[in-house]
Amino acid sequence: MSKYSIAEFIRQTEQNDELKAKFELETPRMLEVNLKDFIWAKAGSMIAYNGKIKFEREGILEHGIGTLFKKAFTGEGASLMKATGEGALYLADKGKKIIILELHNETIFVNGNDLLAFEPTVKHEIKLMRKVAGMMAGGLFNIRCSGSGLIAITSHYEPLTLRVTPGKPVLTDPSATVAWSGNLTPEFQTDISFKTFIGRASGESIQLRFEGNGFVIVQPYEEVYFQQSQS
């Protein structure tokens, strides 16, 4: 059989029916969810499914008025959908690499644009990063995931995890920061004036400073969160 034949292509890329865990990587950039009840997923991330699955956009009062207020400021990046039913569900997000993590009564903060899916046993809460409000659009928020269960996060290309230890802070570009451990509270650090900021969209002048004991996950890619002024 030719290595370029259609049959060989199907053999190499077809669904692997042997995988039966709740979350599995069908490919490094495609998540398979073996659904038997429901999960939360990033709105618009469904690319295929089989079985009987119903999709509903997260209700505006699904998690209380506080979340509703926060969502008014975070835009589409934090929008979730509920996938309910039974079958195989396939999720992806702009070809980004997918990382599956299992929480055991733990907490992790994830950039609002990088949370792909999570089990209903994982509690989530939108957290606004209020400092430098008005300077960034879409990148001001993250999602606190806590409890026990599976979550899937995304990264442009291969992620890097940096250890944060006492006395050795880690500074990151907010646009390249994917997630961090729940015991860390980053602070914005800026070395620019309003005059130098106007007309620029450079993330290097604003950093997130992490101090304490934990970890930070970064990606080799800067997502654009800065709001361009228009005249």
Side-chain angles (χ1 to χ4, degrees):
M1 181 185 299
S2 168
K3 65 179 181 179
Y4 299 120
S5 68
I6 292 177
E8 179 62 14
F9 173 79
I10 293 174
R11 187 189 69 81
Q12 292 184 14
T13 61
E14 69 181 338
Q15 174 193 8
N16 187 346
D17 289 324
E18 295 179 0
L19 302 177
K20 293 300 181 183
K22 185 69 172 285
F23 282 15
E24 290 285 355
L25 292 180
E26 190 66 24
T27 75
R29 302 175 192 278
M30 190 181 303
L31 177 70
E32 178 183 0
V33 180
N34 292 293
L35 194 62
K36 293 184 179 179
D37 40 30
F38 80 91
I39 60 136
W40 290 103
K42 185 174 184 177
S45 62
M46 185 277 289
I47 58 171
Y49 70 92
N50 60 50
K52 295 182 178 180
I53 301 176
K54 181 175 65 173
F55 302 92
E56 297 176 286
R57 197 67 174 253
E58 182 181 24
I60 60 172
L61 293 176
E62 187 93 39
H63 304 287
I65 192 69
T67 296
L68 172 63
F69 174 78
K70 292 175 182 177
K71 288 180 74 64
F73 290 91
T74 57
E76 288 298 306
S79 295
L80 298 171
M81 64 180 182
K82 180 189 289 187
T84 305
E86 186 170 347
L89 170 63
Y90 300 92
L91 305 174
D93 185 18
K94 299 177 182 177
K96 294 161 69 174
K97 185 177 177 65
I98 298 171
I99 302 103
I100 299 173
L101 301 173
E102 185 170 6
L103 303 183
H104 296 279
N105 197 25
E106 297 168 294
T107 298
I108 187 171
F109 287 89
V110 184
N111 182 290
N113 290 293
D114 298 323
L115 183 61
L116 180 63
F118 55 94
E119 290 189 281
T121 53
V122 175
K123 297 180 181 178
H124 74 288
E125 181 182 1
I126 297 173
K127 295 288 186 178
L128 295 179
M129 305 177 79
R130 293 180 176 84
K131 292 188 178 180
V132 301
M135 296 171 67
M136 301 173 71
L140 267 175
F141 68 98
N142 52 74
I143 300 177
R144 181 180 187 267
C145 297
S146 60
S148 299
L150 294 168
I151 69 171
I153 65 177
T154 59
S155 168
H156 286 280
Y157 311 107
E158 299 295 329
L160 173 68
T161 299
L162 301 171
R163 290 279 189 178
V164 181
T165 56
K168 293 184 178 181
V170 170
L171 288 87
T172 67
D173 185 326
S175 303
T177 306
V178 174
W180 58 90
S181 51
N183 58 318
L184 297 180
T185 302
E187 293 290 336
F188 275 106
Q189 177 172 303
T190 177
D191 58 3
I192 61 173
S193 66
F194 182 75
K195 181 178 178 181
T196 58
F197 178 79
I198 293 297
R200 298 187 179 184
S202 174
E204 285 76 12
S205 295
I206 302 175
Q207 299 101 31
L208 287 177
R209 182 183 180 92
F210 295 87
E211 292 190 83
N213 196 342
F215 64 87
V216 184
I217 303 172
V218 295
Q219 62 185 1
Y221 184 94
E222 294 177 86
E223 297 199 53
V224 178
Y225 298 133
F226 289 88
Q227 194 166 25
Q228 301 289 334
S229 59
Q230 297 181 358
S231 56

